[in-house]
Amino acid sequence: MSTKEAKEAKDEDSNSATSTTAATPIPFVTSSLAFQRTQSWSTTSSGEEHRQFEELIPPDNFNMVSNWVYRSSFPKKKNFAFLKKLGLKSILTLILEEYPEQNMKFLEANDIKFFQFEIAGNKEPFCHIPEDKISAALAVILDRRNHPILIHCNKGKHRTGCLIGCLRKLQRWTHTSIFDEYRRFSHPKSRSMDQQFIELFDVSQVWKLVDRNYVPNWDVLGCPW
C-alpha cells in the first residue's frame, strides 16, 4: 500500500470512529420520535402469507425511572401495543377520574394489576398533595412483585413528577438532581409548590409501609435496615 493510500485509509477510520461517537443515543426518550415497527405474518384464506407491521408508540413523556419502573402521560389506545411489549405487571395512576373502560379492558386482557391514588394537582392556594397517598404509592413502587410498573397522571408532569421526586429522595439523590429531573419533565411549566413538597417530604414514613422482603435490588436505595 502506498503512503497516500495508507493516509486515506487512516482518515477513513478516523471519520468512522467520529460518526460512531456522534450517534450514541442519549437515555432520555423523546416519545414523539421513539416509535418502532414490529412485523408479523398472517395467512389468508387462500393460504397466502402477508407481512403486517405494528407501530409501537410510547405515551408522551415516557421514560425509564429505574430498573422495571417507568413513567409517562396517560396511556391512549395507540400506546397499548408498546405497553404490551414492556410486559407490565402493574400500572399506578394518580388521576382523580374513573379509569376509562378501554384502558381497564387492556389491563384485564394482559393480567396487569391496577393501583389508583387519587391526587389533585398541587396548585396554590387550595390544593395540596396528601403525604399519606404519596407514601402508599411509593410502597407499591418499592415492592418488586409489582414490577415492571408504569406510573402516570394526565400529562406525566407535575403529579408524576412529585411522586418520582420523592422516590429519588429514597434513592439518596441530591435536591439539585431531583429538581433538575422534575423541571425537565414538567417543562415548560414547573410548580414551586411541587418542588417545596418534594424538599419537605419525610421519607421515613414510607419505610413503615414497605415489606423488606420484596424491596428492589437497587444499589442507590437508602434502606434503613
Side-chain angles (χ1 to χ4, degrees), residues 16-159:
S16 176
T18 302
S19 299
T20 301
T21 302
T24 302
I26 58 176
F28 180 68
V29 177
T30 306
S31 60
S32 60
L33 300 176
F35 70 90
Q36 302 175 354
R37 292 176 181 268
T38 59
Q39 65 179 25
S40 59
W41 295 87
S42 64
T43 305
T44 64
S45 58
S46 61
E48 296 179 351
E49 288 188 337
H50 291 272
R51 184 181 299 178
Q52 297 177 327
F53 289 92
E54 183 180 46
E55 286 188 347
L56 302 181
I57 306 173
D60 292 338
N61 252 354
F62 175 85
N63 208 43
M64 176 182 280
V65 177
S66 292
N67 289 342
W68 310 116
V69 179
Y70 307 95
R71 63 178 292 170
S72 75
S73 63
F74 194 96
K76 301 176 181 177
K77 186 176 181 180
K78 66 181 181 180
N79 308 130
F80 289 173
F82 175 84
L83 297 183
K84 191 172 182 179
K85 291 293 182 180
L86 296 178
L88 296 174
K89 285 187 179 179
S90 309
I91 283 184
L92 187 157
T93 186
L94 303 171
I95 65 170
L96 295 170
E97 302 79 16
E98 184 177 354
Y99 218 53
E101 183 180 356
Q102 68 174 7
N103 290 65
M104 291 302 296
K105 287 182 177 179
F106 171 76
L107 300 184
E108 293 168 3
N110 293 278
D111 196 24
I112 298 173
K113 289 184 289 186
F114 179 61
F115 298 94
Q116 182 168 13
F117 296 91
E118 299 176 358
I119 295 177
N122 202 11
K123 298 178 182 179
E124 297 181 277
F126 302 114
C127 293
H128 299 282
I129 293 179
E131 289 196 10
D132 59 337
K133 288 188 177 181
I134 290 293
S135 297
L138 288 169
V140 170
I141 298 170
L142 291 176
D143 188 333
R144 64 176 182 268
R145 291 174 294 182
N146 299 322
H147 297 177
I149 185 171
L150 174 70
I151 303 157
H152 76 83
C153 50
N154 281 327
K155 296 183 178 179
K157 293 186 175 185
H158 303 107
R159 284 172 286 183

